[in-house]
Amino acid sequence: AYAVGAEIHDTIMMAKILNNIGSIWYNRLDFEKARSFYEKSLRLREPIRDSVGILSSLGNIAMIYEEEKKYQKALEIHRMILESQYSKSHPIDIITSTINIGNLELKLKNEKSALQWFEKGLVLSDSLKRFFYTTQISQSLARYYYSVGDYKKAFGYQQQLIALNDSILQESSRLNAQELEARFQNRENEKEIALLNEKNKVTDLEKTNAELELRQKNNTLWLIGALGVCGLLLAMLLFY
């Protein structure tokens, strides 16, 4: 596939393939090879200004550094990603970056900075009603307060996390129930339509049979009439 992309000069295809190969090595925990392919993908994307692809490659490289516990390098990349997201006004991506930066600051023992990033992400997530991200931030805040020894707040955020997860689960269950009900109703409607079609077929058949029977009766009457006329003509010839 990479050779095909090179042959037709499809740089984006080549970059995606390199990125995918990097992900394969990442899943095999060979972070050195994974980073090598992510960086190759990045080098292809930069000259053509593939902004989405560039951020994807940078995020993957930062993920490798984090796995290697090179938190400062990972943090620098995530700050770079966030600057790009601010310029493009992508609020959901900004929330993700605030979580990533906050978690890295916490790993670097920069607790005050970590808290500021978590709070920024929480405000944005709540304003957009993105509860999935709110759960992630609540989890990070629980870890933060636990790390600084404020176990009461850590417990509070942990309880909030449980409540949010229950709410999301209930909403998911409600949507699933609605989907099941809609599918059941559609199936019942399909059965009714099929039954009506069968009834219509029977009605059409009965109508066709009635028309055929009437036609046969008319033909019989016409034949009897014709025979009668022929008999009358024959009698007249015989007697006259």
Side-chain angles (χ1 to χ4, degrees):
Y2 182 85
V4 172
E7 187 175 343
I8 63 176
H9 304 291
D10 190 336
T11 305
I12 291 179
M13 178 192 287
M14 294 162 61
K16 285 181 178 179
I17 292 168
L18 289 171
N19 194 72
N20 291 340
I21 295 172
S23 296
I24 292 170
W25 286 115
Y26 175 83
N27 290 330
R28 292 180 180 179
L29 305 181
D30 192 331
F31 301 131
E32 191 63 37
K33 285 184 179 178
R35 179 171 51 239
S36 173
F37 280 99
Y38 288 147
E39 288 174 345
K40 288 176 182 177
S41 176
L42 178 62
R43 285 196 293 272
L44 284 179
R45 284 166 162 163
E46 285 177 332
I48 61 173
R49 297 181 180 179
D50 175 16
S51 57
V52 175
I54 289 171
L55 293 181
S56 174
S57 294
L58 285 171
N60 288 333
I61 293 169
M63 185 170 60
I64 295 293
Y65 281 129
E66 189 170 356
E67 290 286 353
E68 295 174 334
K69 302 187 185 306
K70 298 175 181 178
Y71 300 132
Q72 189 59 45
K73 286 188 175 182
L75 180 61
E76 290 169 3
I77 293 175
H78 277 298
R79 287 184 181 278
M80 190 189 312
I81 292 172
L82 181 61
E83 287 180 12
S84 177
Q85 289 164 347
Y86 273 133
S87 67
K88 293 177 174 58
S89 299
H90 291 164
I92 302 302
D93 294 334
I94 290 171
I95 296 172
T96 302
S97 286
T98 60
I99 297 170
N100 290 333
I101 292 173
N103 286 332
L104 286 167
E105 292 282 21
L106 193 57
K107 288 177 179 179
L108 288 166
K109 307 299 181 183
N110 299 328
E111 287 88 356
K112 185 177 180 179
S113 179
L115 179 59
Q116 290 173 345
W117 284 108
F118 293 146
E119 289 176 341
K120 284 180 183 179
L122 188 60
V123 169
L124 185 55
S125 178
D126 286 345
S127 68
L128 296 173
K129 300 186 185 306
R130 299 289 180 168
F131 300 118
F132 171 76
Y133 295 98
T134 302
T135 59
Q136 289 186 310
I137 297 169
S138 295
Q139 187 174 24
S140 294
L141 283 167
R143 284 200 302 267
Y144 162 78
Y145 282 111
Y146 183 85
S147 69
V148 297
D150 192 335
Y151 303 120
K152 182 178 180 179
K153 283 190 176 180
F155 178 75
Y157 276 106
Q158 189 65 28
Q159 292 299 107
Q160 182 178 326
L161 174 63
I162 293 170
L164 284 167
N165 282 331
D166 287 344
S167 176
I168 291 171
L169 183 61
Q170 289 173 3
E171 179 66 13
S172 177
S173 298
R174 184 183 67 81
L175 292 174
N176 287 338
Q178 288 179 343
E179 183 181 356
L180 288 172
E181 183 180 357
R183 288 184 180 181
F184 172 77
Q185 193 60 49
N186 286 337
R187 185 168 298 176
E188 290 300 306
N189 290 338
E190 288 172 359
K191 287 179 181 178
E192 288 182 12
I193 291 170
L195 184 59
L196 286 172
N197 287 336
E198 287 299 321
K199 287 182 178 179
N200 288 335
K201 286 180 183 179
V202 171
T203 302
D204 290 342
L205 183 60
E206 290 175 347
K207 184 178 178 182
T208 301
N209 289 336
E211 290 175 352
L212 182 59
E213 186 178 347
L214 179 60
R215 192 177 298 118
Q216 287 174 343
K217 286 181 178 179
N218 290 336
N219 290 339
T220 302
L221 290 173
W222 181 85
L223 182 59
I224 292 171
L227 290 172
V229 171
C230 290
L232 181 60
L233 291 173
L234 182 59
M236 289 175 65
L237 288 173
L238 290 173
F239 289 103
Y240 294 95

